[in-house]
Amino acid sequence: MNVNNYNNHTTEADLLRDDFFIRSMLGPTEETERFWQQVLLVNNLSEEVFEGAKQKLLQPAHSMNQHAKDALFSQITESTHTRVRKISYYRYAAAAILLALGISFALFRYQSNEVPVKELAEKSQADTSGILLVTGAGETVNIEGKEAVLDFSNANAVTVNKKKLDVAKISQAVQHEVRVPVGKRISLILSDGTKMWVNAGSIVKFPSHFDKKQREVTVDGEVYADVVKNPKKPFVFHTKEFNVQVLGTSLNIHAYSDDPNQQVTLVEGKVKVKSSQGEHFLKPDESYFADGKTEEVREVDVTFFTSWKDGFYRFKDQQLKDVIQNLERYYGTDIECSPKIAKMTCSGYLDLKDDINMVLRGVAFSMDIKFKKEESSYKLYQ
């Protein structure tokens, strides 16, 4: 690291958007301390600004008001979002700091009605032996590996990771089903070129070839889709609670049948969400939310809903039980905690390429709790 890289760092915001500053403040060494002393000597960075940024970074969350926490969160996530693919060394620091921003807020936000958190892990009991493709011809193909690319763009030469599947000839318009267990993910390319990222614990039903009127796919779980535009043939996603109609767009659908919280988030294009309660038209940067009782559409930062497809998990002001539920699906493991801890509210940025031990270590450290492994599961406790 060259001290001259910091010629233009003159404010606390500059430092709080700098990966190396954050990492070296969280885990200082003799080398990093000498480096920052040199920066203060040869650059325009004042010691007052340096100490101010350091104090903001390291002060306990309970001493910060909500405005200060939101401001710090925005500064740090601005850095991580713009350089998301270059921060391998920064992953643990980001998890620790951003989660910490929600601690004091969380301690006073949990409700008194305590519900057993073990219910969160019901779906994680599913078979995790492999991704399954159940063809319309009645064949079942076990796809090995944690991630894979399943390509149906040529119905007579279906491939997995560019290798042709050894299955019987697949007839056009026959329905198929891909089952992605917890702890696994898959990219699915449909016959029209539409690409879908299918998240852990999801089931997608689709045809080998779309008919002439419209394109239809059924989703139980979470998918991100880049839909190929075709005005003459609308694309419809069917879920248990609603349908989503598009012409050509990028969107995220979160619709697990065992999760009352359902969302549709639009990145590009225009979609119509139709449920038993009515119709909603979404514009880019808007999300449809439903919880089984109410529905609403509001403006959002779409990266909080789509970053999972790139191996990152961003969340803000979420209860820890919801974070745990997503981690259980993603890693295919059970995570238990008390109802009190489950209702803590936190914000964070986690790199899902890290193993579950590192992720939980960051969560536990930043929220002033502990975790331990118990046989095949994990437990968070105070």
Side-chain angles (χ1 to χ4, degrees):
M1 181 65 66
N2 192 329
V3 294
N4 293 323
N5 292 344
Y6 292 86
N7 286 328
N8 297 323
H9 283 53
T10 58
T11 68
E12 292 180 5
D14 291 335
L15 292 174
L16 292 172
R17 284 193 291 262
D18 185 81
D19 300 343
F20 180 72
F21 173 78
I22 294 171
R23 182 170 68 95
S24 56
M25 293 303 104
L26 281 181
T29 64
E30 291 184 6
E31 182 181 359
T32 59
E33 288 181 358
R34 286 195 300 269
F35 172 82
W36 287 109
Q37 289 174 3
Q38 187 69 12
V39 169
L40 291 171
L41 285 174
V42 303
N43 291 318
N44 295 323
L45 180 65
S46 71
E47 188 169 349
E48 181 181 358
V49 168
F50 177 82
E51 291 297 332
K54 180 179 178 180
Q55 182 180 357
K56 282 185 178 179
L57 201 58
L58 300 180
Q59 68 178 307
H62 59 75
S63 66
M64 303 170 66
N65 60 38
Q66 193 58 41
H67 176 74
K69 285 188 286 187
D70 288 344
L72 182 56
F73 178 88
S74 298
Q75 290 168 345
I76 295 173
T77 52
E78 180 182 338
S79 171
T80 60
H81 178 58
T82 55
R83 293 190 299 280
V84 73
R85 296 186 182 278
K86 301 179 181 178
I87 55 172
S88 58
Y89 67 87
Y90 175 56
R91 296 177 297 201
Y92 182 71
I97 296 174
L98 297 181
L99 280 165
L101 299 180
I103 295 175
S104 63
F105 189 54
L107 294 176
F108 298 96
R109 285 270 312 257
Y110 64 83
Q111 302 170 359
S112 58
N113 53 322
E114 298 192 351
V115 180
V117 179
K118 187 60 180 175
E119 294 177 4
L120 299 175
E122 290 297 329
K123 201 161 188 176
S124 65
Q125 303 300 323
D127 178 21
T128 59
S129 58
I131 301 165
L132 292 181
L133 168 65
V134 181
T135 74
E139 297 172 280
T140 299
V141 181
N142 192 308
I143 302 173
E144 297 181 353
K146 186 175 181 179
E147 298 185 2
V149 178
L150 179 57
D151 189 349
F152 265 78
S153 58
N154 183 348
N156 294 322
V158 178
T159 62
V160 174
N161 298 330
K162 298 184 178 180
K163 295 182 179 179
K164 187 176 179 179
L165 281 180
D166 184 18
V167 296
K169 184 175 181 179
I170 300 174
S171 301
Q172 292 187 341
V174 172
Q175 285 290 121
H176 309 294
E177 183 176 298
V178 62
R179 304 172 186 173
V180 184
V182 292
K184 308 289 177 80
R185 282 155 300 284
I186 195 169
S187 295
L188 175 62
I189 303 174
L190 302 179
S191 60
D192 66 337
T194 291
K195 187 172 183 179
M196 299 173 61
W197 288 259
V198 185
N199 207 350
S202 301
I203 298 174
V204 176
K205 297 179 181 179
F206 60 97
S208 57
H209 182 76
F210 294 111
D211 62 27
K212 295 181 179 180
K213 294 182 179 180
Q214 66 180 12
R215 300 166 287 173
E216 296 181 90
V217 168
T218 301
V219 175
D220 178 355
E222 183 168 29
V223 300
Y224 179 94
D226 280 334
V227 178
V228 171
K229 189 173 183 179
N230 186 345
K232 297 181 180 180
K233 190 180 294 188
F235 199 111
V236 180
F237 292 94
H238 298 283
T239 77
K240 182 180 179 181
E241 300 296 336
F242 56 82
N243 298 327
V244 183
Q245 180 175 322
V246 306
L247 293 177
T249 190
S250 298
L251 76 163
N252 193 84
I253 297 176
H254 178 101
Y256 289 94
S257 59
D258 61 349
D259 187 346
N261 296 310
Q262 315 260 302
Q263 299 117 30
V264 178
T265 303
L266 184 60
V267 179
E268 295 177 359
K270 185 178 180 180
V271 302
K272 178 175 71 175
V273 181
K274 185 176 182 180
S275 70
S276 59
Q277 297 187 37
E279 296 182 350
H280 303 272
F281 292 88
L282 302 186
K283 296 180 295 186
D285 300 321
E286 287 186 340
S287 277
Y288 158 86
F289 295 91
D291 60 8
K293 299 178 182 178
T294 61
E295 298 179 328
E296 67 169 322
V297 174
R298 62 175 182 261
E299 191 172 330
V300 297
D301 180 346
V302 297
T303 59
F304 284 93
F305 302 87
T306 63
S307 59
W308 64 267
K309 76 180 181 68
D310 297 315
F312 301 94
Y313 180 23
R314 296 185 68 201
F315 49 95
K316 188 177 183 182
D317 294 338
Q318 280 194 353
Q319 288 191 335
L320 186 57
K321 67 180 181 67
D322 296 324
V323 175
I324 288 175
Q325 184 178 48
N326 286 327
L327 292 178
E328 284 181 323
R329 288 194 186 111
Y330 207 93
Y331 286 99
T333 189
D334 290 344
I335 306 170
E336 300 180 48
C337 68
S338 70
K340 181 178 180 180
I341 293 176
K343 289 181 172 60
M344 289 181 174
T345 304
C346 56
S347 299
Y349 179 97
L350 299 174
D351 191 327
L352 298 174
K353 292 187 290 293
D354 286 333
D355 65 42
I356 185 63
N357 289 284
M358 177 172 286
V359 170
L360 291 180
R361 187 177 295 116
V363 172
F365 169 79
S366 59
M367 300 194 73
D368 196 25
I369 57 179
K370 297 182 178 180
F371 86 98
K372 62 181 179 181
K373 194 175 190 308
E374 296 183 339
E375 297 181 353
S376 60
S377 64
Y378 293 86
K379 183 176 183 180
L380 297 172
Y381 62 98
Q382 288 181 308

